[in-house]
Amino acid sequence: MRHNAERPPSVVERVLDVLGAFTSERPVLTLSELSRRAGLPLSTTHRLSAELVRRGALQRDEQGHFRVGLWLWEVASLAPHGAHLRESAMPFLEDLYEATHQNVQLAVLDGAEVVYLERLSGRRAVNVISRVGGRLPLHATGVGLVLLAHAPADVQEQVLGLPLKRFTGKTIRSAEQLRRVLADVRRNGYAVSDGQIELPALSVAAAVHGASDTVVASISVVVPAEGTDPLTLVPAVRAAARGISRTLGAPLRLSEDAHRETH
C-alpha cells in the first residue's frame, strides 16, 4: 500500500490497508498473506485483524483464514447508492430479467469506474465478469458509457485523459472515439457496448434519474452478441429505467421518451 513518505501511516490507514487486501480473486487470506498484501508487519496485522474480527468487520474460520465480515455489508448498505436504490430498482430489474432471461445489472458511478449494485442472471445467460460490488472501467461497459455520458464535465475530462484499458479488439481505444460514443449516448438515450469486455457479450444500457432529474444510476441487459439486434432490446431497457426513475421521484419526460423511441 502507498502512503505519504513524510509520515508513518495512521491507524485508520492501516485498518483500511488490511480491509483493502481482500479482492474478488483473493477473498480468503491467511494472516501472513494478509500481512504481505496489506504491506504491514505481521505483529501489526495480527493486532488489527483480531480487533476487526471482534467488531465483525472480518471473520476467521477454524483454519485461521480471514474473510470480510457481514458487518461491513451492513455499513455499506447505508451508502447513498445502497439499499434504497436497489430496493426501488428490483421489481423493474426482475421484470427485465423475465423478459430476457439474460444478465440484468444495476450500476452507479464512483470516480472513474462503474460499481455494480445488483445483477440478476440465469443459468443459460451469457458469461460476464461483472459481479455485485465489483468495478469495471466506464469506457468499456454499457452502464459505464451511460453514466459517463451524463457525468459532470470534469469527470468526463478526467476519464478522457486516462489511458483506456483494452479488453478486446472492440474496446474503445481513443479519447476521440469515446467522445463520439458519449455524444451518441446523450442523443439516443441509450448505450450499446458490443464485445468491449468479452467478445461474446453485448450490453444495452439506459440511465436512471433521481428526484432532481440527475442521472443516479444505470441499468443494462447483457446478451449474446451473435445474432442479437440491440435495437430490439432498447424499448424494454428504457422502460425499466423510466420505471425506476419514477419510483425515485424523477420528473416525467414521457413526451421526450416517446420521441426518442420513434426515431
Side-chain angles (χ1 to χ4, degrees):
M1 299 295 174
R2 295 181 179 179
H3 297 290
N4 189 329
E6 298 179 356
R7 62 171 178 81
S10 67
V11 173
V12 172
E13 288 174 323
R14 291 172 179 172
V15 169
L16 294 176
D17 286 344
V18 170
L19 296 176
F22 296 91
T23 65
S24 59
E25 293 78 21
R26 298 297 302 274
V28 180
L29 299 171
T30 65
L31 181 63
S32 60
E33 290 171 336
L34 189 56
S35 172
R36 183 174 63 255
R37 292 174 64 86
L40 297 172
L42 190 63
S43 59
T44 301
T45 306
H46 181 271
R47 175 173 54 83
L48 293 177
S49 61
E51 180 64 20
L52 290 169
V53 168
R54 189 181 71 82
R55 295 295 301 271
L58 292 181
Q59 294 178 348
R60 189 175 187 182
D61 62 25
E62 295 179 353
Q63 289 74 41
H65 297 167
F66 294 90
R67 65 170 64 243
V68 173
L70 288 176
W71 183 73
L72 286 183
W73 180 263
E74 295 175 26
V75 173
S77 69
L78 301 176
H81 295 310
H84 175 64
L85 175 56
R86 179 183 174 277
E87 291 171 1
S88 300
M90 278 303 293
F92 302 95
L93 298 179
E94 290 170 350
D95 287 346
L96 188 56
Y97 169 76
E98 288 299 327
T100 62
H101 290 283
Q102 291 291 335
N103 301 284
V104 175
Q105 305 179 131
L106 171 69
V108 295
L109 176 72
D110 187 32
E113 296 176 306
V114 57
V115 177
Y116 291 88
L117 299 186
E118 185 57 82
R119 178 166 72 89
L120 305 180
S121 181
R123 288 180 296 176
R124 298 182 180 179
V126 65
N127 183 60
V128 294
I129 65 172
S130 60
R131 62 177 182 84
V132 175
R135 295 171 176 266
L136 284 174
L138 294 167
H139 71 281
T141 61
V143 286
L145 290 171
V146 167
L147 293 168
L148 184 58
H150 297 283
D154 60 330
V155 175
Q156 293 187 25
E157 291 305 316
Q158 176 191 356
V159 174
L160 287 163
L162 294 173
L164 301 179
K165 180 178 179 180
R166 294 191 64 186
F167 294 86
T168 74
K170 290 187 173 182
T171 306
I172 294 173
R173 65 188 70 183
S174 69
E176 293 75 15
Q177 183 185 7
L178 182 55
R179 286 186 190 276
R180 292 194 298 270
V181 171
L182 296 180
D184 289 341
V185 172
R186 288 188 290 268
R187 181 176 62 254
N188 297 330
Y190 63 88
V192 175
S193 177
D194 183 2
Q196 286 209 81
I197 294 288
E198 294 181 295
L199 288 174
L202 179 147
S203 171
V204 176
V208 173
H209 295 254
S212 63
D213 207 26
T214 57
V215 173
V216 297
S218 178
I219 66 169
S220 70
V221 59
V222 185
V223 302
E226 185 176 357
T228 298
D229 179 358
L231 295 182
T232 63
L233 298 169
V234 170
V237 175
R238 297 197 63 212
R242 286 198 305 272
I244 301 170
S245 299
R246 286 194 295 269
T247 301
L248 295 175
L252 296 178
R253 298 179 306 282
L254 297 182
S255 59
E256 175 187 355
D257 289 335
H259 174 76
R260 283 178 174 170
E261 290 181 359
T262 56
H263 287 75

